[in-house]
């Protein structure tokens, strides 16, 4: 890890010219309260976790290349699926967008830094400890928990001590998220430049404001669920044990009360990035700004009343199933509004397709596909056929990878000139996009077929009729893994050898960080707030 | 559905080209075996066609813009950024389409939930890692058996070629009569499992300590295969569900045969068994129920499943071993995972398996356990 941070350190040496500069060396990163440094830390941390979680995905796909048990035993396979999920959700996707928030929100609203600078440092430095706990669980007797990232009771009670480490890791991750969110809310509500009214904020800032509220509301619920699991395991409580008057399904209700807002916690900041990128490369203002804000808020509110659509097969009363089905398909309306707005923003624009725009278009196309399969799964009778099959795996990877991850890639390519003062290699960027796009679909599109044909998820071995699709999927997975090595190279190459970026590399970009700040951006910015007219 | 055929053929070609696999490509729901499954299939097709239509319109517009409104073609950006009428239309129209989908979906949900007045009621219990079937009410009442994976370990580990129904075969099929309304009550003994037969559109989680139910009415005879669909631990991928639908006559015959077997089993449990009989029966029972964890060699898996070779329990007094097998042992702090209670097995199976372990993995003095002793140890 240190080598990665060191590498980046060189890249930053160029603009450590602020007054009262930072410590040198590693102490700069440990003690920093600068939002840009902390943003960088978040981004590198999430890249490291993305690599770890991705490697686990490759282990899973390698085992599934052919029927039979070849590479790992079923126990270790379950540990892989569990940790892949937890690490990708909490270690990779959530932190990457907090990294964006740290870098961008103060610059986009004309603030000098985040509101609570030291708290910001702590929010980040909780993460490496949480990640260490997660990884350590592999070395405990019995290994990491093999319960799935959803950690359903009472399977969790059977696990070894690795389960406890995972629970503590989730506590730390939750704390980090809550503190980060409080910081983001406070910054946005109090540190906007004069004239930057709420309805003038860039949409990225809006989506993060809403996301932060979701985090503050949802993360404590998860902490409660895992704490109850902990006391069931060690202190004789029976929250989730029928023999003592508890109910295993209660765990699922609590988990998904967190889990569904979590989906939007992951997706909304990505929506924000896309809402910056598409207008910039269409050279045209975002269509329906106000309706975007309202749609995002509507999605956030609805996300709290649809959780049980993850649990149609637990045996709810018919009224419960119908309520959750209606509420869930209702989300398609505001989500549709967003997609229509993005497409209309492109309509009659003056389009160019640099890498950020390619990833934005890829996002738009495939996230919508994931949304459509979401609509299919929202319908109780169809979900009962597809629940816990590979169809669901395909669906949520379209939302998480083609949605959130593609948005993150779009954001990195979009803002890296601002962050480093250097341009990335456009040809390599476009190759990265096409490889990722092709291999992603190779992995996950065929998984729709697997699910419909009846392949359950989280199995280390499968009947012979699923072999072909699994082979295609595995080949795609290794291709996509290699494509991300290219991404790593592109970022390093940008930092070390990139051509100096022009002041405004993107013709159509018009938020404050482009219009009011030099490129590369100085260590301290907006010590005097700009006045927005 | 000519279009589907064409796609299927193309996909098959692509798949063959890549992998040279000899298996037909499964890419859609299995052929419905009940009206419920057919309704689900119909609903899915309705939604898919709507989605495809919307997809074509929206992304037709996007790709047209990508083609026609490019800067490189000299297109100048217009600066419009809102239009209340348009925005209203694309809020209201999708809402109407959704109602059109919700209406038929609601009808299927209500039908799916109606488990009233069944002809045959069967209780399904999920165990780590097998299914238990009890015929509770209707023809065959009182029949009860366990159903475990029949695929040999050697196939899974690649020492033998894989059979046609690899991982989808069990020792005892669940047998039901054709054309009758079957109500299945699910529950579980340890963790959450999920019982699913895709051809009947029937899936229900099996939750420890709670009863849930589902129903199906099979419309044709045949064998329908599936697997547990809720992660339930190490052997989650190895507890298939096989339902055999029989004609009414064959079913009645099967019930007669099974009832005889059950009463023979009761006699078996009450008689004295010879040592050789117990060891031979025990070897079978051990292979079926014990060796997934403790391994065929009895060496277990370090840090997960304890070895039986040299185990104090197997070397020690037999009462303690009977107690442990019947009631299981908690995991928790110990490195080893929890030993699930095996009280769903018959007295004969438990007595024989224990006798087998006490002959093969250790040599204690009192190495014979009679079914009667197990019966006495049950509370």
């Amino acid at each position: 890890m240190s080598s990665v941070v060191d590498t980046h350190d060189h890249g930053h040496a160029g603009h450590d010219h602020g007054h009262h500069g930072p410590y040198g060396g590693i102490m700069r990163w440990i003690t920093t309260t600068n939002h840009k440094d902390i943003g960088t830390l978040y981004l590198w941390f999430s890249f490291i976790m993305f690599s770890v979680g991705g490697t686990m995905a490759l282990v899973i796909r390698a085992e599934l290349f052919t029927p039979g048990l070849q590479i790992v035993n079923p126990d270790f396979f379950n540990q892989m699926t569990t940790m892949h999920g937890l690490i990708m959700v909490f270690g990779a996707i959530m932190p990457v967008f907090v990294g964006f928030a740290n870098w961008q929100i103060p610059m986009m609203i004309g603030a000098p830094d985040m509101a609570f600078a030291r708290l910001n440092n702590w929010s980040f430095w909780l993460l490496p400890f949480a990640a260490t706990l997660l990884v350590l669980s592999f070395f405990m007797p019995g290994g990491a928990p093999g319960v799935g990232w959803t950690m359903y009771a009472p399977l969790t009670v059977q696990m070894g001590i690795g389960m406890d480490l995972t629970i503590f890791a989730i506590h730390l991750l939750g704390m980090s998220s809550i503190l980060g969110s409080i910081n983001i809310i406070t910054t946005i509500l109090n540190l906007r430049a004069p004239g930057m009214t709420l309805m003038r904020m860039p949409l990225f800032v809006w989506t993060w404001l809403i996301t932060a509220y979701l985090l503050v509301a949802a993360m404590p619920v998860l902490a409660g669920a895992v704490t109850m699991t902990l006391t069931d395991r060690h202190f004789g409580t029976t929250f989730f044990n029928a023999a003592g008057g508890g109910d295993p399904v209660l765990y699922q209700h609590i988990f998904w009360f967190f889990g569904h807002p979590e989906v939007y916690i992951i997706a909304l900041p990505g929506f924000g990035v896309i809402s910056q990128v598409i207008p910039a490369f269409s050279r045209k203002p975002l269509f329906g700004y106000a309706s975007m804000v309202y749609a995002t808020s509507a999605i956030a509110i609805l996300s709290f009343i649809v959780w049980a659509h993850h649990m149609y097969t637990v045996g709810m009363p018919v009224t419960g199933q119908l309520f959750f089905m209606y509420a869930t398909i209702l989300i398609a309306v505001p989500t549709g509004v967003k997609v229509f707005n993005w497409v209309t923003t492109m309509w009659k624009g003056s389009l160019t397709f640099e890498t950020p725009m390619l990833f934005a278009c890829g996002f738009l196309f495939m996230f919508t596909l994931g949304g459509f399969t979401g609509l299919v799964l929202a319908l109780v009778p169809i979900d009962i056929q597809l629940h816990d099959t590979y169809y669901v795996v395909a669906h949520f990877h379209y939302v998480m990878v083609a949605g959130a991850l593609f948005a993150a890639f779009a954001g990195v390519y979009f803002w890296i000139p601002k962050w480093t003062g250097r341009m990335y290699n456009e040809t390599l960027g476009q190759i990265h996009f096409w490889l990722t796009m092709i291999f992603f679909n190779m992995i996950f599109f065929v998984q729709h077929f697997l699910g419909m044909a009846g392949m359950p998820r989280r199995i280390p071995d499968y009947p012979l009729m699923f072999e072909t699709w699994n082979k295609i999927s595995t080949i795609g997975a290794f291709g996509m893994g290699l494509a991300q090595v290219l991404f790593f190279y592109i970022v390093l190459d940008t930092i070390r050898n990139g051509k100096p970026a022009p002041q405004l590399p993107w013709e159509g970009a018009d938020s404050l960080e482009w219009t009011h700040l030099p490129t590369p951006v100085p260590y301290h910015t907006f010590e005097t707030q700009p006045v927005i007219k | 559905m000519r279009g589907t055929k064409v796609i299927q053929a193309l996909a098959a070609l692509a798949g063959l080209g890549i992998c040279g696999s000899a298996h037909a490509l499964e890419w859609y729901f299995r052929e419905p075996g009940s009206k419920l499954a057919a309704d689900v299939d119909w609903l899915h097709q309705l939604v898919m066609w709507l989605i495809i239509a919307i997809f074509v319109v929206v992304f037709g517009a996007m790709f047209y813009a990508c083609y026609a409104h490019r800067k490189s073609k000299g297109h100048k950006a217009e600066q419009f950024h809102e239009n209340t009428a348009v925005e209203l239309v694309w809020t209201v129209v999708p809402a109407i389409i959704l109602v059109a989908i919700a209406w038929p979906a609601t009808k299927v949900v209500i039908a799916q939930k109606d488990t009233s007045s069944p002809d045959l009621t069967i209780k399904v219990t999920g165990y780590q890692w097998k299914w238990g079937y009890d015929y509770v009410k209707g023809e065959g009442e009182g029949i009860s058996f366990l159903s475990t994976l029949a695929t040999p370990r050697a196939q899974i580990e690649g020492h033998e070629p894989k059979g046609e129904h690899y991982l989808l075969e069990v020792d005892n099929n669940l047998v039901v009569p054709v054309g009758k309304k079957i109500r299945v009550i699910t529950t579980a003994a340890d963790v959450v499992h999920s019982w699913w037969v895709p051809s009947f559109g029937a899936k229900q989680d099996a939750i420890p300590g709670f009863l849930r139910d589902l129903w199906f009415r099979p419309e044709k005879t045949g064998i329908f295969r599936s697997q547990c669909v809720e992660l339930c631990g190490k052997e989650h991928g190895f507890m298939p569900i096989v339902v055999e639908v029989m004609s009414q006559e064959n079913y009645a015959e099967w019930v007669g045969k099974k009832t005889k077997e059950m009463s023979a089993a009761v006699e078996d449990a009450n008689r004295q068994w010879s040592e050789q009989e117990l060891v031979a029966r025990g070897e079978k029972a051990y292979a079926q129920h014990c060796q997934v964890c403790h391994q065929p060699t009895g060496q277990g898996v370090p840090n997960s499943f304890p070895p039986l070779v040299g185990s104090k329990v197997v070397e020690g007094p037999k009462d303690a071993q009977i107690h442990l097998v019947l009631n299981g042992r908690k995991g928790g702090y110990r490195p080893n995972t929890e030993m699930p209670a095996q009280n769903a097995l018959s007295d004969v199976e438990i007595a024989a398996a224990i006798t087998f372990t006490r002959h093969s993995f250790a040599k204690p003095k009192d190495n014979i356990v009679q079914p009667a002793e197990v019966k006495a140890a049950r509370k």
Side-chain angles (χ1 to χ4, degrees):
Chain A
M1 177 172 169
S2 61
S3 69
V4 173
V5 173
D6 283 350
T7 317
H8 196 70
D9 210 345
H10 299 306
H12 261 281
H15 50 83
D16 289 348
H17 47 61
H19 26 243
H20 65 85
Y23 285 97
I26 191 74
M27 284 311 283
R28 165 180 171 185
W29 299 103
I30 293 174
T31 60
T32 184
T33 54
N34 180 292
H35 73 100
K36 302 184 182 75
D37 279 356
I38 293 174
T40 303
L41 285 172
Y42 267 108
L43 293 173
W44 278 114
F45 174 81
S46 71
F47 184 78
I48 293 164
M49 287 289 109
F50 175 60
S51 311
V52 175
T55 309
M56 292 177 177
L58 293 184
V59 173
I60 295 170
R61 285 307 332 164
E63 175 56 53
L64 292 174
F65 183 68
T66 190
L69 295 175
Q70 294 85 25
I71 299 168
V72 295
N73 64 45
D75 220 6
F76 192 71
F77 183 90
N78 288 345
Q79 297 176 24
M80 284 286 121
T81 55
T82 307
M83 283 296 152
H84 165 74
L86 286 172
I87 284 178
M88 285 305 200
V89 168
F90 293 102
I93 290 291
M94 287 168 73
V96 77
F97 286 112
V98 185
F100 282 116
N102 262 290
W103 259 103
Q104 293 305 128
I105 288 176
M107 295 201 290
M108 289 173 121
I109 62 173
D113 205 310
M114 297 295 281
F116 305 121
R118 291 182 184 197
L119 186 74
N120 202 14
N121 175 292
W122 193 38
S123 313
F124 172 77
W125 280 107
L126 283 170
L127 291 180
F129 292 96
T132 310
L133 279 180
L134 278 181
V135 174
L136 270 183
S137 69
F138 279 103
F139 302 100
M140 294 295 124
V147 291
W149 84 281
T150 49
M151 298 174 287
Y152 276 9
L155 189 57
T156 41
V157 179
Q158 296 184 350
M159 294 294 136
I161 204 165
M163 187 74 230
D164 302 313
L165 296 196
T166 304
I167 289 172
F168 292 136
I170 286 169
H171 282 144
L172 288 181
L173 292 161
M175 268 165 75
S176 162
S177 292
I178 293 168
L179 297 177
S181 305
I182 291 172
N183 208 346
I184 287 169
I185 294 172
T186 314
T187 306
I188 296 174
L189 293 184
N190 294 288
L191 298 188
R192 275 170 291 127
M196 175 64 79
T197 59
L198 283 175
M199 289 308 273
R200 275 182 175 172
M201 294 194 308
L203 213 77
F204 176 73
V205 182
W206 254 115
T207 55
W208 245 115
L209 179 63
I210 294 166
T211 304
Y213 274 106
L214 286 182
L215 275 166
V216 170
M219 292 309 288
V221 181
L222 176 65
V226 295
T227 308
M228 288 157 91
T229 302
L230 188 74
T231 62
D232 266 16
R233 283 169 54 76
H234 296 304
F235 305 113
T237 56
T238 53
F239 292 113
F240 309 130
N241 180 353
D247 183 351
V249 178
L250 174 66
Y251 174 84
Q252 299 184 24
H253 279 292
I254 303 175
F255 179 86
W256 287 111
F257 188 85
F258 145 82
H260 201 75
E262 171 69 16
V263 173
Y264 293 98
I265 287 166
I266 286 170
L268 292 184
F271 291 177
V273 172
I274 298 302
S275 302
Q276 302 304 124
V277 170
I278 288 185
F281 294 88
S282 305
R283 292 162 182 78
K284 190 164 160 282
L286 182 69
F287 187 86
Y289 173 91
S291 68
M292 282 299 221
V293 172
Y294 301 142
T296 311
S297 314
I299 290 173
I301 291 164
L302 285 175
S303 77
F304 279 105
I305 57 163
V306 297
W307 75 90
H309 68 213
H310 298 267
M311 309 161 46
Y312 284 149
T313 61
V314 300
M316 269 181 282
V318 68
T319 41
Q321 290 192 332
L322 290 176
F323 168 79
F324 285 108
M325 178 171 84
Y326 298 150
T328 304
I329 58 179
L330 204 56
I331 292 193
V333 174
T335 312
V337 167
K338 297 189 79 97
V339 172
F340 299 141
N341 280 341
W342 285 321
V343 172
T344 313
T345 304
M346 292 168 70
W347 189 254
K348 298 204 167 170
S350 177
L351 302 174
T352 53
F353 295 95
E354 289 89 342
T355 312
M357 184 62 165
L358 284 178
F359 271 108
C361 291
F363 163 94
L364 190 48
F365 188 69
M366 294 203 296
F367 175 79
T368 308
L369 216 154
F372 277 137
T373 52
L375 179 63
V376 171
L377 289 171
L379 302 173
V380 177
I382 306 179
D383 180 78
I384 283 180
Q385 278 293 46
L386 296 173
H387 181 78
D388 267 330
T389 68
Y390 261 83
Y391 192 93
V392 176
V393 177
H395 157 71
F396 71 73
H397 280 95
Y398 268 83
V399 178
M400 302 270 161
V401 180
L405 182 67
F406 272 41
F409 281 140
V412 168
Y413 286 109
F414 185 57
W415 279 307
I416 207 169
K418 178 61 52 185
W419 298 339
T420 64
R422 293 167 189 271
M423 284 307 280
Y424 63 89
N425 183 324
E426 184 60 45
T427 314
L428 289 183
Q430 298 201 6
I431 292 173
H432 173 227
F433 166 74
W434 285 109
L435 289 179
T436 307
M437 178 85 176
I438 291 165
F439 286 123
F440 169 81
N441 281 294
M442 202 167 148
I443 307 170
F444 293 110
F445 198 77
V446 295
Q447 293 187 357
H448 292 114
F449 303 148
L450 282 176
M452 284 203 285
M455 177 165 163
R457 60 192 285 207
R458 295 165 170 170
I459 54 173
D461 190 6
Y462 50 84
L464 303 177
M465 61 188 169
F466 304 132
E467 185 173 359
T468 307
W469 298 132
N470 272 299
K471 281 203 159 44
I472 295 173
S473 189
T474 297
I475 295 167
F478 279 87
M480 183 151 166
L482 281 178
Q484 306 326 310
V485 177
L486 175 64
F487 172 69
F488 183 53
Y489 171 78
I490 293 171
V491 172
L492 286 188
D493 181 56
T494 308
I495 294 167
R496 289 184 171 170
N497 315 315
K499 290 198 199 81
Q503 164 64 24
L504 187 61
W506 317 120
E507 209 184 333
D510 62 353
S511 42
L512 290 190
E513 81 274 27
W514 301 109
T515 55
H516 283 58
L517 293 173
T519 301
V521 63
Y523 195 59
H524 293 287
T525 44
F526 289 134
E527 279 153 71
T528 335
Q529 292 202 303
V531 178
I532 317 298
K533 289 182 202 87
Chain B
M1 296 296 291
R2 184 179 294 155
T4 354
K5 285 268 162 55
V6 173
I7 297 171
Q8 204 162 9
L10 283 176
L13 272 178
L16 278 175
I18 291 169
C19 305
S21 159
H23 290 276
L25 279 182
E26 303 288 339
W27 72 288
Y28 195 66
F29 291 135
R30 290 179 204 174
E31 202 181 319
S34 75
K35 185 173 178 301
L36 212 54
D39 286 348
V40 172
D41 195 338
W42 177 84
L43 188 65
H44 179 259
Q45 294 202 25
L46 168 80
V47 179
M48 279 311 290
W49 286 116
L50 274 171
I51 285 173
I52 289 168
I54 300 169
F55 205 78
V56 167
V57 171
V58 173
F59 290 98
M62 186 183 100
F63 284 117
Y64 180 77
C66 288
Y67 167 74
H69 304 151
R70 274 180 296 163
K71 193 187 178 196
S72 57
K73 293 189 86 175
H75 195 271
K76 294 271 178 302
E78 295 187 13
Q79 293 302 311
F80 63 85
H81 55 86
E82 55 189 12
N83 183 325
T84 314
V86 172
E87 289 177 61
L88 263 181
V89 168
W90 71 40
T91 312
V92 175
V93 171
I96 294 170
I97 295 176
L98 289 177
V99 174
I101 296 174
W103 180 252
T106 303
K107 283 204 267 189
V108 183
V109 176
I110 291 170
Q112 215 158 20
K113 274 290 180 183
D114 177 20
T115 54
S116 60
S117 44
D119 300 311
L120 176 61
T121 304
I122 300 168
K123 187 177 106 182
V124 175
T125 310
Y127 299 96
Q128 284 171 317
W129 292 274
K130 51 185 159 276
W131 293 99
Y133 297 110
D134 296 279
Y135 289 63
V136 180
K137 202 157 189 291
E139 190 179 357
E141 198 171 315
I143 294 177
S144 163
F145 54 87
L146 290 174
S147 175
T148 48
L149 179 73
T151 304
R153 210 68 202 169
Q155 285 190 17
I156 295 170
E157 282 158 8
H159 308 309
E160 274 176 23
K162 294 175 176 42
E164 190 193 353
H165 297 300
Y166 178 68
L167 296 190
L168 291 177
E169 51 201 344
V170 293
D171 52 358
N172 296 309
N173 294 347
L174 174 66
V175 178
V176 295
V178 73
K180 294 283 163 61
K181 182 169 184 175
I182 319 285
R183 177 177 178 232
V184 169
I185 301 176
T186 66
T187 187
D190 30 50
V191 300
V192 182
H193 302 264
S194 191
W195 195 83
W196 181 34
V197 184
S199 307
F200 302 144
K203 182 188 286 162
Q204 174 59 56
D205 291 356
I207 298 157
F210 289 84
L211 299 175
R212 298 284 198 268
D213 65 353
L214 62 83
W215 73 275
F216 59 90
R217 191 192 292 275
E219 283 173 355
K220 53 186 175 190
T221 56
I223 293 183
F224 300 86
R225 297 168 197 274
S226 176
Q227 291 167 279
C228 175
V229 278
E230 180 67 64
L231 178 63
C232 53
K234 170 170 130 12
E235 301 288 311
H236 162 54
F238 305 93
M239 47 184 290
I241 295 149
V242 181
V243 180
E244 188 170 352
V245 181
M246 286 184 177
S247 67
Q248 184 55 50
E249 303 82 66
N250 291 354
Y251 178 72
E253 203 177 300
W254 177 84
V255 167
K257 196 177 110 228
K258 206 75 190 170
T259 318
K260 264 196 212 121
E261 271 176 35
M262 301 255 319
S263 45
V266 171
E267 279 170 32
D268 262 1
N270 292 331
R271 73 178 169 87
Q272 281 285 318
W273 287 53
S274 76
E275 186 169 349
Q276 289 89 333
E277 271 183 318
L278 278 172
V279 173
R281 179 73 185 85
E283 191 171 1
K284 258 170 52 191
Y286 183 84
Q288 239 174 341
H289 302 294
C290 316
Q291 74 175 24
V292 286
C293 296
H294 296 294
Q295 304 301 308
T297 55
Q299 293 290 355
V301 176
N303 282 336
S304 297
F305 306 108
L308 299 183
V309 176
S311 144
K312 282 191 190 122
V313 180
V314 185
E315 297 277 7
K318 59 186 179 180
D319 290 351
Q321 193 179 357
I322 297 173
H323 180 82
L324 191 139
V325 173
L326 273 176
N327 302 307
R329 182 156 75 180
K330 281 263 166 243
Y333 298 106
R334 269 185 296 280
N336 295 322
T337 40
E338 183 169 302
M339 157 102 180
Q342 300 296 329
N343 54 14
L345 304 186
S346 72
D347 297 340
V348 173
E349 281 173 308
I350 293 179
I354 293 177
T355 307
F356 172 73
T357 60
R358 292 172 90 85
H359 278 73
S360 305
F361 306 133
K363 301 270 180 257
K365 272 201 195 115
D366 50 345
N367 57 5
I368 298 171
V369 176
Q370 290 292 341
E373 292 173 76
V374 178
K375 196 176 181 185
R378 286 185 201 261
K379 271 168 274 173

